[in-house]
mmCIF file of all heavy atoms in Angstrom:
data_model
loop_
_atom_site.group_PDB
_atom_site.id
_atom_site.type_symbol
_atom_site.label_atom_id
_atom_site.label_comp_id
_atom_site.label_asym_id
_atom_site.label_seq_id
_atom_site.Cartn_x
_atom_site.Cartn_y
_atom_site.Cartn_z
ATOM 1 N N MET V 292 168.457 221.103 -25.427
ATOM 2 C CA MET V 292 167.173 220.652 -24.965
ATOM 3 C C MET V 292 166.035 221.256 -25.751
ATOM 4 O O MET V 292 165.006 220.619 -26.061
ATOM 5 C CB MET V 292 166.982 220.939 -23.476
ATOM 6 C CG MET V 292 168.002 220.270 -22.592
ATOM 7 S SD MET V 292 168.030 218.482 -22.784
ATOM 8 C CE MET V 292 166.421 218.021 -22.161
ATOM 9 N N ALA V 293 166.263 222.526 -26.177
ATOM 10 C CA ALA V 293 165.231 223.196 -26.990
ATOM 11 C C ALA V 293 165.122 222.516 -28.373
ATOM 12 O O ALA V 293 164.015 222.383 -28.929
ATOM 13 C CB ALA V 293 165.586 224.688 -27.145
ATOM 14 N N CYS V 294 166.227 222.094 -28.915
ATOM 15 C CA CYS V 294 166.255 221.377 -30.203
ATOM 16 C C CYS V 294 165.418 220.087 -30.069
ATOM 17 O O CYS V 294 164.629 219.746 -30.963
ATOM 18 C CB CYS V 294 167.654 221.096 -30.660
ATOM 19 S SG CYS V 294 168.604 222.532 -31.196
ATOM 20 N N MET V 295 165.603 219.332 -28.985
ATOM 21 C CA MET V 295 164.868 218.132 -28.733
ATOM 22 C C MET V 295 163.382 218.443 -28.591
ATOM 23 O O MET V 295 162.523 217.696 -29.088
ATOM 24 C CB MET V 295 165.386 217.438 -27.504
ATOM 25 C CG MET V 295 166.773 216.867 -27.630
ATOM 26 S SD MET V 295 167.304 215.944 -26.194
ATOM 27 C CE MET V 295 166.102 214.637 -26.089
ATOM 28 N N GLY V 296 163.087 219.557 -27.911
ATOM 29 C CA GLY V 296 161.699 219.927 -27.753
ATOM 30 C C GLY V 296 160.987 220.236 -29.106
ATOM 31 O O GLY V 296 159.839 219.872 -29.325
ATOM 32 N N ILE V 297 161.736 220.886 -30.001
ATOM 33 C CA ILE V 297 161.214 221.199 -31.350
ATOM 34 C C ILE V 297 160.941 219.919 -32.100
ATOM 35 O O ILE V 297 159.945 219.800 -32.824
ATOM 36 C CB ILE V 297 162.172 222.119 -32.099
ATOM 37 C CG1 ILE V 297 162.222 223.484 -31.425
ATOM 38 C CG2 ILE V 297 161.796 222.261 -33.536
ATOM 39 C CD1 ILE V 297 163.292 224.410 -31.986
ATOM 40 N N LEU V 298 161.838 218.915 -31.985
ATOM 41 C CA LEU V 298 161.652 217.631 -32.685
ATOM 42 C C LEU V 298 160.376 216.951 -32.202
ATOM 43 O O LEU V 298 159.618 216.400 -32.975
ATOM 44 C CB LEU V 298 162.885 216.730 -32.492
ATOM 45 C CG LEU V 298 164.030 216.914 -33.443
ATOM 46 C CD1 LEU V 298 165.175 215.964 -33.041
ATOM 47 C CD2 LEU V 298 163.615 216.633 -34.891
ATOM 48 N N ILE V 299 160.175 216.947 -30.863
ATOM 49 C CA ILE V 299 158.981 216.340 -30.244
ATOM 50 C C ILE V 299 157.760 217.078 -30.783
ATOM 51 O O ILE V 299 156.774 216.437 -31.151
ATOM 52 C CB ILE V 299 159.085 216.354 -28.740
ATOM 53 C CG1 ILE V 299 160.240 215.453 -28.296
ATOM 54 C CG2 ILE V 299 157.762 215.887 -28.107
ATOM 55 C CD1 ILE V 299 160.527 215.523 -26.765
ATOM 56 N N LEU V 300 157.796 218.390 -30.797
ATOM 57 C CA LEU V 300 156.657 219.171 -31.263
ATOM 58 C C LEU V 300 156.394 218.870 -32.728
ATOM 59 O O LEU V 300 155.210 218.743 -33.162
ATOM 60 C CB LEU V 300 156.937 220.680 -31.097
ATOM 61 C CG LEU V 300 155.856 221.652 -31.581
ATOM 62 C CD1 LEU V 300 154.546 221.364 -30.826
ATOM 63 C CD2 LEU V 300 156.325 223.078 -31.417
ATOM 64 N N GLU V 301 157.427 218.721 -33.511
ATOM 65 C CA GLU V 301 157.281 218.390 -34.934
ATOM 66 C C GLU V 301 156.580 217.051 -35.091
ATOM 67 O O GLU V 301 155.644 216.925 -35.902
ATOM 68 C CB GLU V 301 158.646 218.357 -35.597
ATOM 69 C CG GLU V 301 158.613 217.977 -37.072
ATOM 70 C CD GLU V 301 159.992 217.824 -37.661
ATOM 71 O OE1 GLU V 301 160.983 217.979 -36.931
ATOM 72 O OE2 GLU V 301 160.056 217.478 -38.869
ATOM 73 N N MET V 302 156.976 216.007 -34.310
ATOM 74 C CA MET V 302 156.366 214.716 -34.432
ATOM 75 C C MET V 302 154.896 214.763 -33.944
ATOM 76 O O MET V 302 154.040 214.081 -34.477
ATOM 77 C CB MET V 302 157.157 213.715 -33.587
ATOM 78 C CG MET V 302 158.499 213.320 -34.206
ATOM 79 S SD MET V 302 159.303 211.938 -33.357
ATOM 80 C CE MET V 302 159.748 212.696 -31.832
ATOM 81 N N MET V 303 154.629 215.597 -32.974
ATOM 82 C CA MET V 303 153.283 215.763 -32.446
ATOM 83 C C MET V 303 152.356 216.307 -33.568
ATOM 84 O O MET V 303 151.229 215.846 -33.785
ATOM 85 C CB MET V 303 153.226 216.676 -31.228
ATOM 86 C CG MET V 303 151.897 216.862 -30.545
ATOM 87 S SD MET V 303 151.992 217.970 -29.169
ATOM 88 C CE MET V 303 153.177 217.187 -28.124
ATOM 89 N N LEU V 304 152.849 217.364 -34.280
ATOM 90 C CA LEU V 304 152.048 217.947 -35.353
ATOM 91 C C LEU V 304 151.892 216.981 -36.500
ATOM 92 O O LEU V 304 150.808 216.899 -37.109
ATOM 93 C CB LEU V 304 152.753 219.236 -35.785
ATOM 94 C CG LEU V 304 152.768 220.369 -34.779
ATOM 95 C CD1 LEU V 304 153.591 221.556 -35.327
ATOM 96 C CD2 LEU V 304 151.386 220.817 -34.414
ATOM 97 N N LEU V 305 152.982 216.268 -36.883
ATOM 98 C CA LEU V 305 152.905 215.296 -37.988
ATOM 99 C C LEU V 305 151.933 214.159 -37.684
ATOM 100 O O LEU V 305 151.351 213.605 -38.615
ATOM 101 C CB LEU V 305 154.315 214.757 -38.278
ATOM 102 C CG LEU V 305 155.259 215.714 -38.944
ATOM 103 C CD1 LEU V 305 156.628 215.096 -39.107
ATOM 104 C CD2 LEU V 305 154.765 216.142 -40.330
ATOM 105 N N SER V 306 151.812 213.852 -36.376
ATOM 106 C CA SER V 306 150.883 212.745 -36.026
ATOM 107 C C SER V 306 149.437 213.075 -36.338
ATOM 108 O O SER V 306 148.591 212.211 -36.381
ATOM 109 C CB SER V 306 151.043 212.387 -34.531
ATOM 110 O OG SER V 306 152.330 211.957 -34.281
ATOM 111 N N ARG V 307 149.172 214.398 -36.386
ATOM 112 C CA ARG V 307 147.799 214.842 -36.641
ATOM 113 C C ARG V 307 147.544 215.199 -38.078
ATOM 114 O O ARG V 307 146.515 215.805 -38.432
ATOM 115 C CB ARG V 307 147.495 216.031 -35.740
ATOM 116 C CG ARG V 307 147.628 215.677 -34.274
ATOM 117 C CD ARG V 307 147.389 216.904 -33.374
ATOM 118 N NE ARG V 307 147.532 216.574 -31.955
ATOM 119 C CZ ARG V 307 146.619 216.051 -31.219
ATOM 120 N NH1 ARG V 307 145.412 215.769 -31.702
ATOM 121 N NH2 ARG V 307 146.827 215.782 -29.919
ATOM 122 N N VAL V 308 148.515 214.886 -38.943
ATOM 123 C CA VAL V 308 148.441 215.203 -40.396
ATOM 124 C C VAL V 308 148.303 213.919 -41.202
ATOM 125 O O VAL V 308 148.920 212.884 -40.835
ATOM 126 C CB VAL V 308 149.667 216.004 -40.842
ATOM 127 C CG1 VAL V 308 149.610 216.233 -42.351
ATOM 128 C CG2 VAL V 308 149.730 217.347 -40.115
ATOM 129 N N GLY V 309 147.491 213.939 -42.270
ATOM 130 C CA GLY V 309 147.354 212.765 -43.130
ATOM 131 C C GLY V 309 146.229 211.840 -42.784
ATOM 132 O O GLY V 309 145.383 212.153 -41.895
ATOM 133 N N GLU V 310 146.260 210.691 -43.401
ATOM 134 C CA GLU V 310 145.121 209.723 -43.217
ATOM 135 C C GLU V 310 145.223 209.020 -41.858
ATOM 136 O O GLU V 310 144.180 208.784 -41.224
ATOM 137 C CB GLU V 310 145.192 208.687 -44.343
ATOM 138 C CG GLU V 310 144.987 209.268 -45.695
ATOM 139 C CD GLU V 310 145.007 208.156 -46.770
ATOM 140 O OE1 GLU V 310 145.168 206.983 -46.400
ATOM 141 O OE2 GLU V 310 144.832 208.508 -47.932
ATOM 142 N N HIS V 311 146.439 208.658 -41.422
ATOM 143 C CA HIS V 311 146.606 207.897 -40.176
ATOM 144 C C HIS V 311 146.894 208.817 -39.000
ATOM 145 O O HIS V 311 148.041 209.019 -38.610
ATOM 146 C CB HIS V 311 147.696 206.853 -40.336
ATOM 147 C CG HIS V 311 147.487 205.976 -41.506
ATOM 148 N ND1 HIS V 311 148.116 206.204 -42.718
ATOM 149 C CD2 HIS V 311 146.728 204.848 -41.649
ATOM 150 C CE1 HIS V 311 147.723 205.265 -43.607
ATOM 151 N NE2 HIS V 311 146.914 204.428 -42.991
ATOM 152 N N LYS V 312 145.847 209.486 -38.468
ATOM 153 C CA LYS V 312 146.045 210.403 -37.345
ATOM 154 C C LYS V 312 145.995 209.630 -36.028
ATOM 155 O O LYS V 312 145.218 208.717 -35.833
ATOM 156 C CB LYS V 312 144.947 211.462 -37.370
ATOM 157 C CG LYS V 312 144.948 212.321 -38.637
ATOM 158 C CD LYS V 312 143.823 213.325 -38.624
ATOM 159 C CE LYS V 312 143.817 214.172 -39.910
ATOM 160 N NZ LYS V 312 142.667 215.139 -39.921
ATOM 161 N N MET V 313 146.889 210.027 -35.126
ATOM 162 C CA MET V 313 146.928 209.408 -33.814
ATOM 163 C C MET V 313 147.620 210.328 -32.855
ATOM 164 O O MET V 313 148.304 211.282 -33.222
ATOM 165 C CB MET V 313 147.625 208.043 -33.842
ATOM 166 C CG MET V 313 149.127 208.113 -34.296
ATOM 167 S SD MET V 313 149.899 206.472 -34.391
ATOM 168 C CE MET V 313 149.089 205.794 -35.830
ATOM 169 N N LYS V 314 147.512 210.067 -31.574
ATOM 170 C CA LYS V 314 148.212 210.794 -30.534
ATOM 171 C C LYS V 314 149.694 210.456 -30.573
ATOM 172 O O LYS V 314 150.098 209.386 -30.964
ATOM 173 C CB LYS V 314 147.638 210.474 -29.189
ATOM 174 C CG LYS V 314 146.167 210.867 -28.976
ATOM 175 C CD LYS V 314 145.704 210.503 -27.578
ATOM 176 C CE LYS V 314 144.248 210.944 -27.378
ATOM 177 N NZ LYS V 314 143.757 210.586 -25.992
ATOM 178 N N LEU V 315 150.527 211.398 -30.101
ATOM 179 C CA LEU V 315 151.956 211.185 -30.085
ATOM 180 C C LEU V 315 152.308 209.972 -29.210
ATOM 181 O O LEU V 315 153.226 209.239 -29.509
ATOM 182 C CB LEU V 315 152.685 212.427 -29.623
ATOM 183 C CG LEU V 315 154.230 212.320 -29.584
ATOM 184 C CD1 LEU V 315 154.783 212.084 -30.992
ATOM 185 C CD2 LEU V 315 154.856 213.575 -28.986
ATOM 186 N N SER V 316 151.610 209.828 -28.090
ATOM 187 C CA SER V 316 151.853 208.734 -27.198
ATOM 188 C C SER V 316 151.647 207.382 -27.886
ATOM 189 O O SER V 316 152.326 206.374 -27.553
ATOM 190 C CB SER V 316 150.957 208.803 -25.955
ATOM 191 O OG SER V 316 149.584 208.822 -26.328
ATOM 192 N N GLU V 317 150.742 207.341 -28.861
ATOM 193 C CA GLU V 317 150.491 206.106 -29.634
ATOM 194 C C GLU V 317 151.506 205.976 -30.750
ATOM 195 O O GLU V 317 152.052 204.892 -31.036
ATOM 196 C CB GLU V 317 149.100 206.118 -30.204
ATOM 197 C CG GLU V 317 147.968 206.137 -29.160
ATOM 198 C CD GLU V 317 146.610 206.333 -29.771
ATOM 199 O OE1 GLU V 317 146.534 206.626 -30.989
ATOM 200 O OE2 GLU V 317 145.608 206.185 -29.058
ATOM 201 N N ALA V 318 151.808 207.076 -31.414
ATOM 202 C CA ALA V 318 152.757 207.033 -32.538
ATOM 203 C C ALA V 318 154.179 206.768 -32.094
ATOM 204 O O ALA V 318 154.992 206.269 -32.883
ATOM 205 C CB ALA V 318 152.701 208.377 -33.329
ATOM 206 N N PHE V 319 154.490 207.128 -30.856
ATOM 207 C CA PHE V 319 155.876 207.006 -30.374
ATOM 208 C C PHE V 319 155.980 205.965 -29.278
ATOM 209 O O PHE V 319 156.924 205.942 -28.511
ATOM 210 C CB PHE V 319 156.403 208.352 -29.860
ATOM 211 C CG PHE V 319 157.858 208.490 -29.870
ATOM 212 C CD1 PHE V 319 158.555 208.549 -31.085
ATOM 213 C CD2 PHE V 319 158.581 208.590 -28.659
ATOM 214 C CE1 PHE V 319 159.960 208.693 -31.088
ATOM 215 C CE2 PHE V 319 159.952 208.691 -28.701
ATOM 216 C CZ PHE V 319 160.625 208.743 -29.906
ATOM 217 N N ALA V 320 154.986 205.059 -29.201
ATOM 218 C CA ALA V 320 155.027 204.030 -28.172
ATOM 219 C C ALA V 320 156.141 203.032 -28.449
ATOM 220 O O ALA V 320 156.353 202.610 -29.633
ATOM 221 C CB ALA V 320 153.701 203.361 -28.112
ATOM 222 N N ILE V 321 156.824 202.582 -27.419
ATOM 223 C CA ILE V 321 157.895 201.593 -27.592
ATOM 224 C C ILE V 321 157.339 200.255 -27.109
ATOM 225 O O ILE V 321 156.989 200.090 -25.955
ATOM 226 C CB ILE V 321 159.123 201.970 -26.730
ATOM 227 C CG1 ILE V 321 159.695 203.296 -27.177
ATOM 228 C CG2 ILE V 321 160.200 200.879 -26.828
ATOM 229 C CD1 ILE V 321 160.883 203.787 -26.358
ATOM 230 N N ASP V 322 157.261 199.294 -28.043
ATOM 231 C CA ASP V 322 156.695 198.004 -27.743
ATOM 232 C C ASP V 322 157.768 197.079 -27.200
ATOM 233 O O ASP V 322 158.896 196.987 -27.743
ATOM 234 C CB ASP V 322 156.125 197.378 -29.007
ATOM 235 C CG ASP V 322 155.012 198.204 -29.599
ATOM 236 O OD1 ASP V 322 154.246 198.790 -28.797
ATOM 237 O OD2 ASP V 322 154.943 198.317 -30.839
#
């Protein structure tokens, strides 16, 4: 579970890096 938590944290940080910044809830939304 800690490994999964680190992956989620990694995606959260990456979502705030670069030109296309967005919240994790938007970047990981399932349509």
Side-chain angles (χ1 to χ4, degrees):
M292 299 304 294
C294 289
M295 292 183 61
I297 292 173
L298 275 178
I299 294 173
L300 178 62
E301 178 186 359
M302 288 188 291
M303 184 182 300
L304 294 175
L305 288 174
S306 299
R307 300 178 180 276
V308 174
E310 297 180 1
H311 307 95
K312 298 178 182 179
M313 62 181 71
K314 296 180 180 179
L315 181 63
S316 57
E317 298 173 349
F319 204 69
I321 299 177
D322 300 323

